[in-house]
Amino acid sequence: MPSSRSTAALIGIALLGIALTACQDQASGQVVARSGVRLVETLSNPPIHGCHRFPEGVTHVENQTQSNLVLYTAPDCTVPAGGQSNYLDIGQSDQVASVTSPWLSFAFAPE
């Protein structure tokens, strides 16, 4: 019966891996923020909960994480009057049009 024990152990390890991934509190990957061509910030494995404020307004954001995020023109992840937000899919980037305000914050979209 060594074969069934090995199989059971492999299944147990696989289930543990799935459970740990489901309980993850961090987005795997990076969020890269730029102002024009200048790098402003790179966040590695940021927490998925809460609002994340950029140190200054950014015009370009690359979502290199495994989670979707929402960009905001307000520093507190809200949409003020005349402001906007933008949904950014996994692996996508966004360029702000020159007539809009820069992105000041982001939050991860609920899954």
Side-chain angles (χ1 to χ4, degrees):
M1 291 263 210
S3 174
S4 63
R5 285 185 185 162
S6 296
T7 303
L10 288 174
I11 290 172
I13 290 169
L15 290 174
L16 179 61
I18 291 169
L20 290 175
T21 302
C23 298
Q24 192 171 2
D25 287 338
Q26 293 180 319
S28 178
Q30 293 183 329
V31 175
V32 180
R34 298 182 185 281
S35 181
V37 295
R38 184 176 52 82
L39 178 65
V40 171
E41 181 175 35
T42 300
L43 294 167
S44 296
N45 304 321
I48 59 172
H49 301 292
C51 181
H52 303 275
R53 185 174 181 178
F54 295 116
E56 63 181 73
V58 299
T59 58
H60 183 77
V61 177
E62 295 176 36
N63 180 9
Q64 300 172 357
T65 70
Q66 298 300 312
S67 302
N68 300 318
L69 55 91
V70 181
L71 301 170
Y72 297 93
T73 56
D76 59 354
C77 295
T78 61
V79 181
Q84 64 182 29
S85 67
N86 190 38
Y87 188 85
L88 197 57
D89 284 328
I90 296 168
Q92 298 295 309
S93 63
D94 183 75
Q95 195 87 29
V96 175
S98 60
V99 296
T100 63
S101 299
W103 302 124
L104 297 177
S105 62
F106 75 94
F108 286 97
E111 295 184 10

